[in-house]
C-alpha cells in the first residue's frame, strides 16, 4: 500500500467533508462538475473555508496569531509538499498538480488579514479586498478547469474575476446586517449602515449586474466538464440577487434573504436540462 497516497486521499476526503458540512450549495455545484474535478475543487474550498473561519468565527481567541500560524503552515506545506494539517496537505497537492499561482494564495491571505481589523473601504481597498477574497478563488478553480490549456486560462481570466466579484458583492448585500452587527463591517465604499437606502442599493445592484453579464460570457466558453457546475453557481447567485433586488433596502437591513432548498433543486434541474440540450 502506498501510504503517502493514502494520506493524501484521506486529506482530500477531509476537504470534501468540510465542504459538505459548511456549504450545501457549493457541494451541490461541485457534484455537477466532471468527477475528476471534484477532489481538487473540494481542496480549494477547504483551504479558503478554514482561513475564513479563523477571521470570522474565533473571536474569543487571538485571530491574528491563528491566521499568522495558518499562513506559516501554508508556506511550509507548499515548500515541502507535506503537512500534517489535512486541509493544507490536500491544498498543497492540488496547487502543485494544477500549477495554482502563488500570487493567488498570497492575495487571498492578504484579504483574510484585512478582516482582522475594522476597515473603512474606500474604492481601491474595496477592489483589493474583492480580488483577494473572491476573484482569486475563481482563478484557482479556473486553473483546475483549464489544466493543460494555459491560453484558455488567460482568455477566461477576466470573466472568472468578474463572476467571483459578482458572487462576493451579492454576499455583501445579503449579509450587510450581520457583517455590521457581528463584525462592525460595511464593505461598500461610501455606504453608512444606518443611512443605507434604496438609492445606494440600486447603485450597488447595477454594478453587480454588469459583473454577472461579464461572468456569464466566460461560463459559455469553459471546458464542458466544468461548465454545468459553474453555471449552477451562477444561476443560484443570480436567483439570490434578484430576490434581494426586489426587496427594499430596509428589508435586507432586518432580514437575511435566502434561496430555499427546494428552489435550489429546481435550479439544478433547469440547469441540467439546459446543459443537456446544448443551450449552455
Amino acid at each position: 500500500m502506498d501510504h503517502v497516497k493514502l494520506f493524501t486521499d484521506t486529506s482530500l476526503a477531509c476537504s470534501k467533508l468540510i465542504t459538505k458540512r459548511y456549504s450545501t450549495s457549493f457541494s451541490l455545484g461541485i457534484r455537477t462538475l466532471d468527477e475528476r474535478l471534484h477532489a481538487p475543487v473540494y481542496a480549494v474550498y477547504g483551504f479558503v473555508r478554514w482561513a475564513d473561519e479563523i477571521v470570522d468565527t474565533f473571536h474569543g481567541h487571538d485571530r491574528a496569531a491563528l491566521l499568522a500560524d495558518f499562513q506559516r503552515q501554508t508556506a511550509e506545506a507548499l515548500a515541502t509538499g507535506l503537512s500534517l494539517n489535512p486541509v493544507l496537505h490536500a491544498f498543497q497537492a492540488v496547487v502543485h498538480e494544477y500549477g495554482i499561482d502563488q500570487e493567488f494564495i498570497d492575495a487571498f491571505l492578504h484579504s483574510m488579514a484585512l478582516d482582522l481589523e475594522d476597515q473603512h473601504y474606500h474604492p481601491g481597498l474595496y477592489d483589493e479586498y474583492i480580488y483577494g477574497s473572491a476573484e482569486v478563488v475563481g482563478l484557482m478553480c479556473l486553473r483546475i478547469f483549464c489544466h493543460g490549456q494555459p491560453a484558455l486560462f488567460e482568455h477566461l481570466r477576466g470573466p472568472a474575476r468578474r463572476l467571483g466579484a459578482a458572487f462576493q458583492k451579492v454576499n455583501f448585500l445579503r449579509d450587510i446586517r450581520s457583517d455590521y452587527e457581528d463584525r462592525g463591517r460595511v464593505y461598500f465604499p461610501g455606504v453608512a449602515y444606518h443611512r443605507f437606502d434604496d438609492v445606494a442599493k440600486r447603485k450597488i445592484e447595477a454594478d453587480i449586474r454588469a459583473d454577472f453579464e461579464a461572468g456569464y460570457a466566460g461560463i459559455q466558453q469553459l471546458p464542458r466538464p466544468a461548465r454545468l457546475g459553474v453555471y449552477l453557481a451562477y444561476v443560484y447567485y443570480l436567483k439570490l440577487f434578484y430576490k434581494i433586488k426586489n426587496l427594499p433596502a430596509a428589508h435586507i437591513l432586518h432580514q437575511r434573504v435566502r434561496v430555499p432548498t427546494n428552489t435550489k433543486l429546481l435550479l439544478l434541474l433547469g440547469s441540467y436540462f439546459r446543459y443537456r440540450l446544448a443551450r449552455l
Side-chain angles (χ1 to χ4, degrees):
M1 179 182 293
D2 183 341
H3 287 278
V4 174
K5 183 179 185 304
L6 177 62
F7 181 70
T8 300
D9 289 347
T10 304
S11 297
L12 288 164
C14 289
S15 293
K16 178 179 179 179
L17 177 63
I18 289 165
T19 308
K20 293 176 71 173
R21 290 288 181 88
Y22 276 88
S23 178
T24 55
S25 300
F26 205 82
S27 298
L28 193 64
I30 291 176
R31 287 201 294 271
T32 61
L33 297 169
D34 187 85
E35 187 174 1
R36 65 184 173 81
L37 301 175
H38 291 187
V41 178
Y42 282 133
V44 169
Y45 182 87
F47 172 74
V48 301
R49 180 75 261 171
W50 250 213
D52 195 58
E53 282 300 293
I54 290 171
V55 299
D56 277 354
T57 302
F58 303 132
H59 295 284
H61 300 269
D62 186 342
R63 293 176 299 139
L66 289 172
L67 184 62
D69 187 52
F70 186 78
Q71 290 178 287
R72 179 193 61 77
Q73 290 185 53
T74 299
E76 185 176 286
L78 293 171
T80 64
L82 176 67
S83 177
L84 297 183
N85 178 328
V87 168
L88 293 180
H89 184 72
F91 181 65
Q92 67 77 27
V94 169
V95 168
H96 288 125
E97 181 175 355
Y98 291 91
I100 291 175
D101 309 56
Q102 181 67 47
E103 186 268 324
F104 300 162
I105 301 166
D106 293 342
F108 171 74
L109 292 171
H110 172 66
S111 285
M112 294 301 96
L114 289 175
D115 274 339
L116 293 172
E117 299 180 8
D118 295 338
Q119 302 285 348
H120 296 286
Y121 281 90
H122 57 78
L125 189 60
Y126 174 70
D127 291 342
E128 181 181 316
Y129 180 83
I130 289 176
Y131 175 71
S133 65
E135 293 177 25
V136 298
V137 179
L139 292 173
M140 290 181 198
C141 292
L142 188 63
R143 279 289 186 209
I144 295 167
F145 301 154
C146 297
H147 185 50
Q149 303 178 76
L152 183 61
F153 173 86
E154 292 301 329
H155 178 66
L156 295 179
R157 179 194 287 263
R161 290 184 58 181
R162 296 291 294 275
L163 189 63
F167 292 172
Q168 183 67 293
K169 292 169 188 176
V170 171
N171 287 340
F172 289 163
L173 269 180
R174 180 196 61 192
D175 298 333
I176 191 168
R177 183 182 69 166
S178 61
D179 280 336
Y180 181 77
E181 292 182 352
D182 300 341
R183 305 175 186 96
R185 304 175 194 154
V186 176
Y187 289 102
F188 298 112
V191 173
Y193 180 77
H194 293 293
R195 294 195 296 275
F196 181 67
D197 59 15
D198 290 331
V199 173
K201 180 172 172 285
R202 284 194 294 269
K203 183 178 179 181
I204 292 165
E205 288 164 351
D207 178 52
I208 295 172
R209 181 68 227 175
D211 283 334
F212 269 122
E213 290 174 358
Y216 180 69
I219 292 172
Q220 295 175 299
Q221 301 172 69
L222 280 169
R224 194 159 178 81
R227 200 177 304 161
L228 177 58
V230 179
Y231 178 71
L232 180 60
Y234 164 84
V235 297
Y236 164 70
Y237 267 95
L238 194 63
K239 180 69 173 180
L240 179 59
F241 172 65
Y242 278 119
K243 286 194 72 172
I244 293 170
K245 189 174 184 294
N246 290 330
L247 294 168
H251 183 97
I252 66 170
L253 289 177
H254 292 92
Q255 185 173 336
R256 191 175 193 261
V257 179
R258 299 177 183 276
V259 175
T261 300
N262 61 339
T263 302
K264 293 177 183 177
L265 293 174
L266 288 173
L267 292 173
L268 171 60
L269 188 62
S271 299
Y272 176 76
F273 281 118
R274 184 178 175 87
Y275 175 79
R276 292 295 296 175
L277 292 170
R279 296 178 61 193
L280 171 63

